[in-house]
Amino acid sequence: MKKIFKIAFLLVVTISNAQQSLTLEECYALANKNYPIAKQKELLQQKSDYEVEALQTGKLPKIDLVTQGSYQNQVTAIPNPFLEPINKDQYRANIDVNQLIYNGGLIDANTKLKEAQTKTQQQQVEVNLYQLKSRINQLFFSILYLQERKEILISKQNQLLSKIKEVKSGIQYGAILPASEKVLEAENLKIKQQLSEIQFDKKRLFENLSSLTFTTVPETAILQKPIVITDESSQNNRPELKYFEFQNQQIEASKTVISKNNLPKINAFGIAGYGNPGLNMVDNSYQPILMLGLRANWNVFDWNKTKAEKDALTVSADIVATEKETFLLNNSLQLQEMNNEIKKSVEIIKTDTEIIGLREYVEKSANAQLKNGVITTSEYLVEFTNLYEARTNQKLHEIQLDLAKSNYQVAKGSPLTPEGGTN
């Protein structure tokens, strides 16, 4: 019973794997989720949360326990015979409490700067992940082409096997030479070789696709051909553009921090402890110490340090602007080349349709001539092979067109379809 159950389970798994399908968008999503660098987004957020938490502690009281023992070779001498000389060894233990009252919002400004830095770093991760799409496209459409080519070869093989039966029948009746069958058998072996090559190539490509998506894509998976709609008027949504925007936000946040560094800072402080001497320096005994007060400091002149730092940030903003301008220029040239490639592929496919129509006509004529003994099997095989090569070329050009469209969408940062899915 257990053995039967195990066999049934294996059959279910096999059928399930055989029926598995995969879309291009799903490959994107898997890579975006599973690729090692994707984990950095969450890690960067965790790091930022800890750093912000540390910054916010600046608003809480700062408590220090201070102990001190000292010896000095001289002390203040008071010419009074009734006063005991001040001890040269002194001891103190006290608690210092400092509470920030006002610092011009410097802590909040640093918090916003840290958040801006984190967004910039996370967007850099998005940019790096986005680069995987072009590599996934190449693998995905290479596998698609092999799937299409395999179907054409199987169709060719089936027609060839049917023709072999006809030739065998003709040989039996003496209408066709025995060598004719050998010519067709050799072609059938050639097709078997090609199918074997496809199987090994698909295995390699599936392994590469599995590595990029960090998931196991079985060789039996059927890749769904996407319907890609290119729209030249659509907005450019490349992640690099948002990265440049976040860089500018980080620069502005840095300027705010610099401005607030020079604002007045007010702290309340308190000291409570025990020492010898206490606050009364002429009393050589352990006395309690208590002091409360306010402390304010304001850097009114910093030798133009603030101005220099802001000027440096302005130059950084100019650098970001030139990087963005360069990116848009190169991206525009890339889109133009891809658009020309798409138009070229469309025209080639139109010609492919005409070529196939002519090849089908010639193959039918050659088939009739073969049956009537007008031409040899080798001559017929030439036209038969030409027909299937034309069909293979058409599929190749169609895959190249879809690849060019998908690469165009990736280059523009647009979804494959208006809804962002595939069909």
Side-chain angles (χ1 to χ4, degrees):
M1 187 68 182
K2 288 183 179 179
K3 187 175 181 181
I4 295 175
F5 177 81
K6 186 176 181 181
I7 294 173
F9 174 78
L10 290 174
L11 285 173
V12 170
V13 171
T14 302
I15 294 172
S16 175
N17 287 336
Q19 294 176 341
Q20 181 177 346
S21 63
L22 192 65
T23 66
L24 184 54
E25 284 284 8
E26 287 171 345
C27 289
Y28 291 162
L30 287 170
N32 202 54
K33 177 183 177 183
N34 299 328
Y35 206 71
I37 197 175
K39 299 175 184 177
Q40 287 189 7
K41 290 179 65 179
E42 184 178 350
L43 293 173
L44 286 168
Q45 187 59 55
Q46 290 178 2
K47 176 174 175 284
S48 176
D49 292 341
Y50 286 130
E51 289 173 338
V52 168
E53 182 181 348
L55 284 171
Q56 291 298 317
T57 60
K59 297 179 179 181
L60 301 176
K62 181 182 179 184
I63 303 173
D64 294 322
L65 175 62
V66 181
T67 60
Q68 178 179 316
S70 64
Y71 176 85
Q72 55 197 67
N73 65 336
Q74 287 185 336
V75 294
T76 302
I78 300 175
N80 189 331
F82 299 101
L83 292 177
E84 184 180 349
I86 299 173
N87 291 337
K88 291 184 178 181
D89 57 326
Q90 300 178 3
Y91 307 93
R92 173 179 290 191
N94 54 270
I95 294 176
D96 291 356
V97 179
N98 285 276
Q99 173 62 57
L100 175 66
I101 295 178
Y102 176 79
N103 69 347
L106 182 60
I107 291 177
D108 291 336
N110 274 309
T111 297
K112 290 181 180 179
L113 173 59
K114 180 54 61 181
E115 291 171 350
Q117 289 172 340
T118 300
K119 285 182 179 179
T120 304
Q121 292 168 343
Q122 288 178 325
Q123 191 61 26
Q124 179 64 66
V125 174
E126 286 287 352
V127 170
N128 293 336
L129 285 173
Y130 197 81
Q131 307 304 320
L132 295 175
K133 284 191 173 183
S134 296
R135 295 169 62 187
I136 290 174
N137 281 354
Q138 194 63 47
L139 290 171
F140 189 91
F141 286 100
S142 295
I143 296 173
L144 265 182
Y145 170 64
L146 292 179
Q147 286 182 180
E148 298 281 0
R149 187 169 173 230
K150 180 180 179 181
E151 290 181 6
I152 292 175
L153 282 174
I154 291 174
S155 175
K156 179 181 179 181
Q157 188 178 47
N158 291 336
Q159 188 173 345
L160 187 64
L161 291 174
S162 176
K163 183 59 62 179
I164 289 174
K165 288 182 181 180
E166 292 180 10
V167 169
K168 282 183 177 180
S169 177
I171 292 173
Q172 288 179 354
Y173 292 101
I176 301 177
L177 293 174
S180 299
E181 180 186 355
K182 302 302 180 183
V183 172
L184 297 179
E185 288 288 357
E187 184 64 22
N188 185 39
L189 289 175
K190 183 179 177 182
I191 293 174
K192 288 181 178 180
Q193 280 184 336
Q194 292 172 333
L195 288 172
S196 180
E197 287 176 359
I198 287 175
Q199 189 63 32
F200 282 103
D201 288 343
K202 277 181 65 177
K203 182 177 184 299
R204 174 179 54 83
L205 292 172
F206 269 119
E207 287 174 352
N208 292 339
L209 185 61
S210 296
S211 297
L212 274 183
T213 58
F214 271 74
T215 188
T216 301
V217 183
E219 296 175 41
T220 53
I222 303 299
L223 303 189
Q224 299 298 314
K225 187 177 180 182
I227 298 176
V228 188
I229 301 175
T230 57
D231 184 5
E232 295 181 37
S233 62
S234 64
Q235 185 178 359
N236 194 323
N237 291 315
R238 283 289 292 266
E240 288 87 348
L241 298 179
K242 188 171 288 187
Y243 174 68
F244 295 136
E245 180 184 339
F246 285 154
Q247 280 186 309
N248 285 323
Q249 291 177 8
Q250 181 179 328
I251 289 171
E252 290 303 315
S254 297
K255 287 182 178 180
T256 302
V257 170
I258 291 172
S259 297
K260 292 184 180 295
N261 268 327
N262 284 337
L263 293 177
K265 297 174 179 59
I266 302 174
N267 289 272
F269 68 91
I271 300 174
Y274 203 63
N276 181 4
L279 296 178
N280 183 359
M281 296 296 295
V282 298
D283 187 352
N284 288 322
S285 64
Y286 283 93
Q287 298 291 331
I289 299 171
L290 181 63
M291 183 184 298
L292 299 174
L294 291 175
R295 183 183 295 113
N297 65 291
W298 187 2
N299 185 6
V300 295
F301 186 71
D302 65 354
W303 303 97
N304 286 329
K305 177 184 176 184
T306 298
K307 181 180 182 302
E309 289 177 339
K310 285 187 175 181
D311 289 344
L313 288 173
T314 300
V315 173
S316 295
D318 292 338
I319 292 173
V320 172
T322 57
E323 289 177 349
K324 180 179 179 180
E325 185 180 359
T326 303
F327 170 79
L328 288 173
L329 176 61
N330 291 334
N331 184 246
S332 178
L333 293 173
Q334 184 184 27
L335 289 172
Q336 185 177 345
E337 290 178 1
M338 290 178 173
N339 193 37
N340 289 333
E341 188 68 25
I342 290 171
K343 291 178 180 178
K344 182 181 75 173
S345 295
V346 170
E347 292 301 317
I348 290 175
I349 290 172
K350 289 180 182 178
T351 309
D352 281 331
T353 303
E354 296 176 6
I355 292 173
I356 289 174
L358 294 173
R359 289 296 181 191
E360 286 176 344
Y361 177 84
V362 172
E363 189 274 335
K364 287 180 181 178
S365 176
N367 185 37
Q369 290 175 337
L370 176 64
K371 289 180 179 179
N372 294 323
V374 178
I375 61 174
T376 65
T377 305
S378 296
E379 290 172 321
Y380 165 76
L381 193 58
V382 170
E383 302 304 333
F384 177 76
T385 301
N386 287 338
L387 170 60
Y388 278 93
E389 282 184 358
R391 289 175 177 173
T392 300
N393 286 336
Q394 184 185 44
K395 288 299 180 182
L396 173 61
H397 296 148
E398 288 175 353
I399 295 297
Q400 287 175 336
L401 174 60
D402 288 334
L403 174 60
K405 287 181 176 180
S406 295
N407 284 337
Y408 182 92
Q409 297 301 87
V410 168
K412 202 162 190 179
S414 304
L416 295 176
T417 67
E419 293 77 22
T422 56
N423 295 310

